């Protein structure tokens, strides 16, 4: 069974095929109404459960639209609808859901919820995000980079700010797609040591550079993410702002990287915090292509999981 749980647990040949399939499906839809079905309807007759323990805009809309474009149907459930792990075990929920639907996408907090769901389910499970990783986002990011700059292998990606779950998936992707990554941020927010070690073992050059201006020298891509979570208390927000302020992506930092460097952000962004509006709306930003490509990348993931 093809679960899509993390980039580093998926065969690199399969990852590459998903990127190519996503590109082909996007090209095939060029100029068509957004609500129109694909010429082929590979998910016709399939029902996909979309479970959200965490709030979502892009993940919810892109998966829902993607399934519909491919002829399938969605069942959207929130954590409060299901009370995952409260009263009924996650494993039992997975077994029951498997009797009704053809695939489960879950966006949750604890990665153990995802793991238990996948171990017990009789249908494929997709990681829509956990506190540990966000693989669907990085598949869209790789696709977006290659649309604008060609193969990502051998390129230099710079992650600035917090070594969070999205950064972890970028490190996994560095190992699987063969690019290098430099992290620049405060030491207390360094990425997980295991993720750094994984990418290095796969042959990628992974550097930690505290000076953001040194970090971005020769960068092909600069990536930022929000400094605070919606669940953080006000005191935590203030501490993080103080720690991360030197790592804001502004015009001066982009100029240090050079005019060919792209800028990405998985959104939502706090304009004026981790990145300025001047950069977000500037010529090097590809954030809205990146957001759109969640749709196409996830359609390819769905097809790979279902073998259709």
């Amino acid at each position: 069974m093809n679960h899509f749980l993390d980039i580093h647990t998926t065969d690199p040949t399969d990852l590459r095929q998903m990127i190519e399939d996503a590109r082909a499906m996007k090209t095939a839809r060029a100029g068509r109404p957004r609500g129109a079905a694909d010429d082929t309807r590979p998910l016709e007759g399939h029902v996909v459960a979309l479970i959200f323990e965490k709030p979502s805009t892009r993940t919810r809309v892109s998966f829902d639209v993607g399934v519909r474009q491919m002829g399938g149907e969605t069942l959207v459930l929130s954590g409060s609808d299901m009370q995952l792990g409260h009263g009924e075990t996650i494993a039992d929920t997975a077994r029951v859901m498997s009797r009704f639907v053809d695939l489960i996408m879950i966006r949750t907090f604890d990665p153990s919820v995802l793991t238990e769901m996948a171990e017990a389910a009789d249908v494929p499970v997709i990681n829509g995000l956990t506190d540990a990783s966000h693989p669907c986002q990085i598949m869209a990011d790789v696709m977006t980079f290659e649309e604008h700059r060609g193969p990502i292998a051998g390129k230099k990606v710079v992650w600035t700010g917090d070594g969070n779950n999205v950064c972890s998936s970028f490190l996994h992707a560095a190992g699987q797609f063969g690019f290098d990554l430099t992290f620049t941020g405060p030491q207390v927010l360094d990425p997980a040591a295991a993720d750094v070690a994984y990418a290095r073992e796969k042959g990628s050059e992974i550097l930690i550079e505290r000076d953001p201006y040194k970090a971005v020298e020769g960068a092909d891509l600069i990536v930022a993410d929000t400094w605070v979570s919606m669940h953080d208390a006000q005191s935590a927000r203030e501490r993080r702002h103080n720690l991360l302020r030197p790592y804001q992506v502004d015009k001066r930092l982009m100029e240090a990287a050079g005019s060919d460097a792209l800028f990405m952000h998985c959104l939502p962004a706090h304009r004026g915090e981790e990145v300025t509006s001047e950069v977000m709306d500037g010529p090097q930003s590809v954030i809205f292509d990146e957001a759109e490509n969640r749709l196409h990348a996830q359609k390819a993931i769905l097809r790979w999981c279902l073998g259709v």
Side-chain angles (χ1 to χ4, degrees):
M1 190 182 306
N2 288 333
H3 297 306
F4 186 75
L5 304 183
D6 269 312
I7 286 176
H8 67 309
T9 60
T10 306
D11 187 274
T13 302
D14 291 332
L15 294 172
R16 173 49 62 189
Q17 188 59 55
M18 283 183 245
I19 296 290
E20 299 307 319
D21 289 346
R23 184 180 294 118
M25 285 188 283
K26 181 177 183 178
T27 299
R29 288 194 62 84
R32 304 188 66 181
R34 288 171 176 79
D38 291 351
D39 287 333
T40 60
R41 296 168 62 85
L43 264 62
E44 190 161 13
H46 292 80
V47 176
V48 176
L50 307 176
I51 302 173
F52 295 94
E53 284 200 294
K54 278 190 169 186
S56 170
T57 299
R58 276 147 295 276
T59 299
R60 177 169 178 165
V61 174
S62 56
F63 266 110
D64 199 345
V65 170
V67 172
R68 292 170 189 239
Q69 286 181 352
M70 294 190 291
E73 298 185 28
T74 58
L75 177 65
V76 182
L77 299 163
S78 70
S80 59
D81 291 330
M82 302 188 67
Q83 294 295 307
L84 272 175
H86 300 283
E88 182 176 60
T89 67
I90 293 160
D92 284 350
T93 298
R95 294 184 184 104
V96 170
M97 294 288 290
S98 297
R99 301 295 181 101
F100 301 131
V101 304
D102 300 290
L103 183 145
I104 299 168
M105 188 289 303
I106 182 167
R107 180 180 174 96
T108 187
F109 294 89
D110 189 339
S112 68
V113 173
L114 171 74
T115 302
E116 188 174 352
M117 180 77 70
E119 287 174 348
D122 293 324
V123 298
V125 174
I126 294 174
N127 175 3
L129 176 141
T130 72
D131 288 347
S133 63
H134 196 0
C136 291
Q137 178 64 57
I138 274 54
M139 291 293 284
D141 292 354
V142 171
M143 177 183 176
T144 305
F145 181 89
E146 294 192 339
E147 281 181 339
H148 288 268
R149 295 289 188 268
I152 198 169
K155 301 299 186 181
K156 177 182 177 179
V157 174
V158 176
W159 179 277
T160 177
D162 179 6
N164 60 13
N165 53 349
V166 186
C167 181
S168 290
S169 286
F170 248 114
L171 285 163
H172 299 158
Q176 295 287 59
F177 288 98
F179 59 87
D180 301 326
L181 187 143
T182 297
F183 171 83
T184 185
Q187 185 173 357
V188 294
L189 296 177
D190 276 355
D195 297 327
V196 171
Y198 167 82
R200 285 174 174 164
E201 288 168 5
K202 295 284 284 187
S204 297
E205 182 178 58
I206 308 300
L207 302 176
I208 308 292
E209 173 55 65
R210 302 299 170 203
D211 183 337
Y213 292 95
K214 290 182 180 177
V216 301
E217 291 176 1
D220 298 290
L221 171 63
I222 298 173
V223 190
D225 197 2
T226 54
W227 288 348
V228 295
S229 166
M230 66 185 73
H231 308 288
D232 289 340
Q234 184 60 35
S235 58
R237 289 168 179 262
E238 292 172 0
R239 286 196 301 273
R240 279 181 165 261
H241 283 169
N242 290 335
L243 278 169
L244 290 163
R245 195 165 287 113
Y247 298 96
Q248 181 189 71
V249 181
D250 57 14
K251 181 180 179 181
R252 184 176 164 223
L253 190 66
M254 292 303 297
E255 287 175 345
S259 60
D260 287 337
L262 297 178
F263 173 75
M264 288 189 193
H265 190 302
C266 66
L267 303 178
H270 295 90
R271 289 172 178 258
E273 292 185 11
E274 69 271 11
V275 58
T276 63
S277 289
E278 186 175 24
V279 171
M280 286 187 67
D281 300 327
Q284 292 168 269
S285 172
V286 292
I287 58 172
F288 296 111
D289 290 344
E290 178 187 8
E292 179 192 341
N293 284 339
R294 287 289 301 277
L295 169 67
H296 309 295
Q298 287 163 184
K299 286 170 70 174
I301 293 166
L302 285 159
R303 294 189 67 172
W304 176 79
C305 285
L306 291 168
V308 295

